[in-house]
Amino acid sequence: MKNILYIFSFFALVLTTSCTKDFEDINTNPNAPNTVQPSLLLRQVIYDFGEQMSYEGFVAGDLLSQHRTALDFNLFDRHALKSPQLGGNPWPVFYTNLRDNEIILNQSRSINTFAVYEGPALILKAYMASGLTDLFGDVPYFEAFNGSLGNVTPAYNSQESIYMDDNGILDNLDKGISAIENYSQSIALEGDILFNGDLDAWLKFANALKIKALLRISDKVDVSAQLQAIVTEGNYISTNAENAIFNFTNTDPNSFRLAQLRIGDFNNFVLSETMENILLELNDNRINTFFKPFANSTTSQFNGLINGIDASSTSIALSDYSLAGSAFREDTSVLDANFITSWEIHFALAEAAQKGLITANAQDLYETGVIQAFEYWQTEMPVNYLNGNAAFNAIDTTPLEQIITQKWIANIINGYEGWVEYRRTGFPEFNAISASLNNNLIPVRMPYPAEEEALNAEHYQQAASATNSNSINFPVWWDEN
């Protein structure tokens, strides 16, 4: 009887073990894998972030930077930034892609065959983190991006620590560079729609991002030695052929999103009076690329509208104002999702040279940046452009204002860069908003979104208290202007 019980127990154990062993396989959907190859994730992160921030750049960033203005649904244009409408909520774009990028980073460090992804993942983390903190200031960072591991209410970190501390922006750029330089395997980087797997190009990208990050914090930290070391080495993006971009197509699903939406959404955005005045003052023919002559014009003229009208009390005829150019809807194959470019870096280095942070010829760097910016936007530069009002030493302006203004012009739809640079430098001069909902002040940060107050209440309250009740007029750490 005892032996019979042992035999019965043995078969029961085998049956139970077998059922338990096979349980996960039986109950796992083979068409919904719970792990994703880093090549697929890398492609997804680059495309999703680039596509979404290009859209955000058009419908929200360009309003804050006064490249264009909105006719209706324009609370954001009137600086009610806590009331996003057609755009104006980039928070989930950053956190979704930073989370997915963290998966790539963790895979690269735990699976030897994926080691090639470590450098690019660190560089992308630094890139997206800088964009996030430049917009919002203090944000969840060191405890964030790993919600699946249990921490869904991460603490907020100071912008200074996000830039300066271990595993922060500058440190991750350095670690990303080291990871690539020390990579010795022969497994290729796949899913890379920025550089087609070229690791040397990723090194130039990282150094370009370091130039940008160091200049951004240069009013708070002495960065001259670090900048000079990068310039001396010379291994950064320096031609348009090396730009960190990917091209949109002319057909769905990879065309620029404004080409896919109804015409009414597209026609809601017209040339800003600020942009019009600056381009016409400079005799800048990129106005023909960025915008169209207004429909009622009899001489192919352009007409801009002051930002932030009260649409409920102001009657506007669309045919009296200039719409966006064909690159933004009819032929988006000529449009890029722009992570960073050679012209942006030349303008950054021109500023650094003008301020004495590096030893270089500021005028040469500026003029190269202008030439490359025209080339990037596929517009022929007028022969005497750099000898007229756009000259480095033009009268009634300063070289620094010229540098930042040219960077601002070329950064149209590039996320929120034009507004960030205005906050950092005060250039170019913006016009007053027509019907401001922010006491006629230009905002200096994005507000934390409402969902943070609901989902991360304790840490949100601390961050809101540190920013005068989540005020859009409370400057971020690097902002000395």
Side-chain angles (χ1 to χ4, degrees):
M1 182 66 178
K2 189 174 184 180
N3 288 337
I4 293 174
L5 288 174
Y6 281 151
I7 293 170
F8 177 80
S9 299
F10 172 76
F11 279 110
L13 178 62
V14 171
L15 184 61
T16 303
T17 305
S18 178
C19 289
T20 304
K21 179 180 179 182
D22 295 339
F23 180 83
E24 185 175 350
D25 293 335
I26 293 171
N27 290 277
T28 299
N29 181 356
N31 296 316
N34 54 21
T35 60
V36 182
Q37 290 290 316
S39 60
L40 299 178
L41 267 180
L42 181 63
R43 183 188 304 275
Q44 170 65 19
V45 167
I46 294 172
Y47 183 81
D48 187 74
F49 187 84
E51 189 278 329
Q52 292 215 60
M53 288 307 290
S54 295
Y55 171 79
E56 275 282 330
F58 187 104
V59 300
D62 277 4
L63 304 183
L64 285 173
S65 64
Q66 298 194 10
H67 287 103
R68 64 184 93 240
T69 185
L71 302 179
D72 205 353
F73 302 105
N74 68 341
L75 292 178
F76 195 86
D77 196 26
R78 296 174 64 190
H79 295 159
L81 302 192
K82 296 180 182 179
S83 303
Q85 290 173 297
L86 296 176
N89 185 23
W91 183 276
V93 180
F94 283 103
Y95 278 99
T96 297
N97 285 290
L98 278 163
R99 177 203 64 200
D100 290 348
N101 186 72
E102 198 75 6
I103 296 172
I104 302 172
L105 184 56
N106 290 336
Q107 288 178 326
S108 73
R109 289 171 166 173
S110 60
I111 302 173
N112 187 51
T113 53
F114 295 155
V116 68
Y117 290 90
E118 182 177 12
L122 285 164
I123 294 165
L124 282 175
K125 183 175 183 177
Y127 170 76
M128 291 187 286
S130 63
L132 173 68
T133 187
D134 288 346
L135 291 184
F136 294 93
D138 300 350
V139 293
Y141 177 77
F142 291 106
E143 295 179 2
F145 322 134
N146 276 316
S148 61
L149 300 181
N151 189 355
V152 295
T153 57
Y156 283 61
N157 302 110
S158 72
Q159 183 177 73
E160 181 178 8
S161 67
I162 293 170
Y163 262 98
M164 304 297 296
D165 287 1
D166 289 346
N167 300 316
I169 293 166
L170 291 169
D171 184 51
N172 279 338
L173 288 172
D174 286 337
K175 286 177 177 174
I177 290 170
S178 295
I180 291 174
E181 290 178 337
N182 294 329
Y183 180 70
S184 59
Q185 300 180 40
S186 58
I187 299 174
L189 179 71
E190 297 181 344
D192 174 15
I193 61 174
L194 285 180
F195 304 114
N196 197 30
D198 184 347
L199 293 178
D200 289 334
W202 279 92
L203 292 176
K204 291 185 177 183
F205 181 32
N207 281 316
L209 293 177
K210 282 185 68 176
I211 291 170
K212 179 177 179 177
L214 290 168
L215 185 63
R216 190 144 287 175
I217 65 173
S218 60
D219 285 340
K220 303 291 288 188
V221 180
D222 183 1
V223 299
S224 55
Q226 292 168 277
L227 280 172
Q228 187 63 60
I230 300 170
V231 172
T232 300
E233 183 181 8
N235 191 32
Y236 54 85
I237 291 173
S238 60
T239 69
N240 277 331
E242 299 169 334
N243 289 343
I245 59 174
F246 68 79
N247 301 111
F248 291 107
T249 66
N250 218 16
T251 55
D252 295 348
N254 297 323
S255 58
F256 180 51
R257 195 185 309 183
L258 267 294
Q260 305 170 25
L261 300 183
R262 64 187 182 92
I263 190 66
D265 289 337
F266 180 78
N267 287 350
N268 189 52
F269 300 93
V270 300
L271 171 64
S272 165
E273 187 177 90
T274 303
M275 182 69 150
E276 176 200 11
N277 291 342
I278 289 174
L279 291 177
L280 294 182
E281 175 69 20
L282 294 172
N283 297 312
D284 195 316
N285 60 335
R286 281 174 292 186
I287 196 169
N288 296 284
T289 301
F290 299 148
F291 298 96
K292 298 176 181 178
F294 64 98
N296 283 340
S297 171
T298 58
T299 57
S300 296
Q301 292 175 297
F302 296 86
N303 193 32
L305 176 68
I306 191 170
N307 283 84
I309 63 166
D310 183 350
S312 66
S313 62
T314 306
S315 178
I316 295 294
L318 178 64
S319 55
D320 288 334
Y321 298 96
S322 296
L323 293 168
S326 60
F328 303 100
R329 186 172 178 89
E330 290 86 0
D331 184 14
T332 64
S333 65
V334 300
L335 199 62
D336 301 319
N338 175 348
F339 287 65
I340 201 165
T341 59
S342 181
W343 50 262
E344 183 177 356
I345 294 307
H346 277 87
F347 289 136
L349 293 177
E351 178 185 346
Q354 184 65 23
K355 290 180 174 179
L357 298 175
I358 61 171
T359 301
N361 188 305
Q363 182 170 347
D364 286 350
L365 288 163
Y366 166 77
E367 292 180 352
T368 299
V370 174
I371 293 168
Q372 290 185 348
F374 271 86
E375 179 185 281
Y376 173 85
W377 282 108
Q378 301 171 53
T379 306
E380 185 175 352
M381 190 176 78
V383 174
N384 294 318
Y385 185 79
L386 289 171
N387 296 321
N389 291 339
F392 183 73
N393 290 305
I395 59 174
D396 298 326
T397 186
T398 66
L400 184 59
E401 182 175 2
Q402 296 290 75
I403 292 166
I404 304 302
T405 297
Q406 287 294 330
K407 185 195 290 188
W408 173 84
I409 292 170
N411 259 323
I412 187 171
I413 88 154
N414 187 22
Y416 294 76
E417 279 298 308
W419 175 55
V420 172
E421 287 294 274
Y422 168 80
R423 289 157 48 202
R424 186 179 67 84
T425 66
F427 298 125
E429 184 176 350
F430 283 3
N431 288 335
I433 297 297
S434 174
S436 173
L437 295 173
N438 189 43
N439 297 317
N440 294 314
L441 298 173
I442 302 294
V444 294
R445 64 176 286 272
M446 288 285 288
Y448 303 126
E451 56 263 32
E452 269 296 283
E453 185 174 9
L455 301 175
N456 193 8
E458 179 182 354
H459 294 129
Y460 164 83
Q461 292 298 337
Q462 295 171 356
S465 177
T467 52
N468 193 22
S469 298
N470 194 18
S471 171
I472 61 176
N473 302 313
F474 193 92
V476 302
W477 166 70
W478 50 247
D479 186 357
E480 289 291 298
N481 290 288

